[in-house]
Amino acid sequence: MTGTNLAPSLPPADFATRVLPIKLLDVRQHALLRIHNGHRDPVFYNTAVVSGTVFRFDAPAGEYGVLYAAEAFDTCMAETVVRDRFEEMLLPLVLTESELVQKAVSALVFTEGVNNFV
């Protein structure tokens, strides 16, 4: 598949009128996975002030931090490691070992002080 363009296609014509499914997750019953920089604590709320980079869900004025977590490992990889790094690129797509060894995988288990979230 070398040389294959992986550019995303446009959404379907009825995209704006579709109803998104909502899933409630009781985080007291399900651990969430997190891939993070190994030198940081798993529960670390990043801000643009700390990272020097503004990410898409960051607060405009840095009034809160963001912690990415997911139910599945592949979702964590897609969101935190792969993200948009391969946009407009051709196969083969490569992640280097030197980059991956800096990461850690943690399971976040919540026992108190949380509410369900969407």
Side-chain angles (χ1 to χ4, degrees), residues 33 35 69-83:
L33 297 176
I35 296 176
E71 289 183 87
F73 178 78
D74 55 349
T75 306
C76 288
M77 282 294 290
E79 182 58 42
T80 61
V81 177
V82 177
R83 289 187 308 272

Side-chain angles (χ1 to χ4, degrees), residues 37 40 44 46-55 58:
N37 289 322
R40 299 242 188 250
F44 172 76
N46 194 43
T47 65
V49 172
V50 172
S51 70
T53 304
V54 177
F55 296 102
D58 285 353

Side-chain angles (χ1 to χ4, degrees), residues 4 6 82 85-96:
T4 302
L6 297 178
V82 177
R85 72 181 321 139
F86 297 126
E87 284 182 9
E88 315 257 336
M89 293 182 74
L90 303 176
L91 293 174
L93 307 176
V94 178
L95 294 171
T96 64

Side-chain angles (χ1 to χ4, degrees), residues 12 20 44 56 61 75 78-79 108 111 113:
L20 291 174
F44 172 76
R56 68 184 179 276
T75 306
E79 182 58 42
L108 304 179
T111 57

Side-chain angles (χ1 to χ4, degrees), residues 23 25 30 47 51 58 66 72 86 103 114 118:
K23 178 180 180 180
L25 177 66
H30 301 278
T47 65
S51 70
D58 285 353
V66 176
F86 297 126
K103 302 293 183 186
V114 297
V118 177

